Amino acid sequence: MPIVVDIDVMLARRKMAVGDLATRIGITPANLAVLKNGRAKAVRFTTLDALCEVLECQPGDLLRWEPGAADPDDGTTGTGDPLSG
């Protein structure tokens, strides 16, 4: 999927642990891991709002579009083509 999640970048900038962020936004660490590792198929606006509030950032600081980015679940590029090599 060509949507890349940059939660790790904001966590590093804020010097915050993943578990602390999960607690503060009200989701499990496992669900936060799914989101931050790019395996989520959707994100609720309430979760995005909580992330932005706690990390003091904008949605664009957490999400970006990168054409042709690989989908971590199916081994394809953003176009659905199998990765070469």
Side-chain angles (χ1 to χ4, degrees), residues 25-41:
I25 65 172
I27 66 173
T28 66
N31 284 339
L32 182 56
V34 167
L35 180 59
K36 79 179 192 67
N37 293 325
R39 295 188 315 262
K41 297 297 179 189

Side-chain angles (χ1 to χ4, degrees), residues 3-84:
I3 301 296
V4 178
V5 181
D6 288 325
I7 291 175
D8 283 338
V9 173
M10 293 307 297
L11 281 170
R13 287 182 184 166
R14 302 297 184 248
K15 297 181 177 143
M16 186 180 297
V18 174
D20 185 37
L21 178 61
T23 299
R24 291 179 65 184
I25 65 172
I27 66 173
T28 66
N31 284 339
L32 182 56
V34 167
L35 180 59
K36 79 179 192 67
N37 293 325
R39 295 188 315 262
K41 297 297 179 189
V43 61
R44 293 177 187 260
F45 281 129
T46 54
T47 302
L48 185 58
D49 176 55
L51 283 165
C52 290
E53 182 177 344
V54 170
L55 294 172
E56 298 177 350
C57 65
Q58 295 295 312
D61 296 325
L62 301 174
L63 304 171
R64 62 186 159 88
W65 182 73
E66 193 171 284
D71 185 330
D73 283 340
D74 66 10
T76 62
T77 63
T79 61
D81 296 329
L83 293 173
S84 60

